[in-house]
């Protein structure tokens, strides 16, 4: 036994954590996300909870998976995967309300091997502000 005490990692705040996870991938803007889905190159995944979807509407064609089910539904190897979870090369664009929770969700998808996962800068509110399609 060496007698050395293990060094506890320094706690990080949420702002630093977001900065760290966002450094590992390129986030996209609303218009780019729209264009990618129109071209069939990306899957939009709305992780907002029901009350926000009811209040603000939904993005036509987006797959709704609430945050607490995301990894189970998008893991291509999982027993509870959605049919859209076709493989680890799937380009997923995660959308939350304002673009914060989606960054953490995209990082989690990266840990599952979904290396093309990203999130929408500004979230649903940015999509709506850009005048992109929303269904009440």
């Amino acid at each position: 036994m060496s007698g050395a005490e293990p060094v506890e990692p320094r706690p990080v705040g949420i702002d630093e954590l977001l900065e760290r996870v966002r450094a590992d991938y390129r986030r996209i803007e609303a218009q780019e996300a729209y264009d990618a889905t129109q071209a069939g190159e990306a899957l939009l995944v709305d992780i907002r909870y029901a009350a926000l979807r009811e209040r603000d509407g939904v993005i036509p064609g987006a797959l709704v998976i609430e945050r607490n089910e995301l990894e189970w539904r998008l893991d291509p190897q999982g027993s509870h995967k959605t049919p859209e979870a076709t493989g680890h090369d799937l380009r997923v664009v995660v959308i939350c309300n304002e673009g914060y929770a989606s960054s953490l969700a995209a990082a989690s998808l990266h840990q599952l091997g979904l290396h093309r996962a990203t999130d929408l800068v500004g979230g649903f509110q940015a999509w709506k502000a850009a005048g992109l399609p929303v269904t009440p």
Side-chain angles (χ1 to χ4, degrees), residues 3 15 17 20 24 38 45-46 48 56 60 67 72-73 89 98 102 105 107 120 124 126 128 132 135:
D15 293 330
L17 180 60
R20 285 182 186 182
D24 290 338
Q38 292 302 298
V45 179
D46 186 344
R48 295 174 301 143
D56 294 337
R67 177 63 189 98
W72 284 267
R73 305 292 284 150
D89 200 42
E98 294 182 344
S102 57
L120 184 65
F124 178 85
K128 190 174 173 182
L132 296 169
T135 302

Side-chain angles (χ1 to χ4, degrees), residues 21 30 38 92 117-118:
V21 300
Q38 292 302 298
V92 176
T118 187

Side-chain angles (χ1 to χ4, degrees), residues 18-19 21-34 42-47 67 70 91-110 114-124 126-127:
L18 282 170
E19 187 177 312
V21 300
R22 288 172 175 169
D24 290 338
Y25 64 93
R26 187 180 70 81
R27 302 176 78 209
I28 65 173
E29 301 286 337
Q31 188 63 53
E32 182 181 356
Y34 176 78
L43 174 66
L44 296 181
V45 179
D46 186 344
I47 63 169
R67 177 63 189 98
L70 186 68
R91 185 177 183 197
V92 176
V93 179
V94 183
I95 302 169
C96 67
N97 194 48
E98 294 182 344
Y100 296 100
S102 57
S103 294
L104 299 175
S108 181
L109 293 178
H110 277 253
L114 292 157
H115 62 97
R116 296 179 70 205
T118 187
D119 75 312
L120 184 65
V121 176
F124 178 85
W127 179 279

Side-chain angles (χ1 to χ4, degrees), residues 48-70:
R48 295 174 301 143
Y49 52 90
L52 287 177
R53 294 192 311 271
E54 290 168 10
R55 182 188 77 187
D56 294 337
V58 295
I59 297 170
L63 180 63
V64 174
I65 303 175
E66 290 196 20
R67 177 63 189 98
N68 63 326
E69 296 182 1
L70 186 68

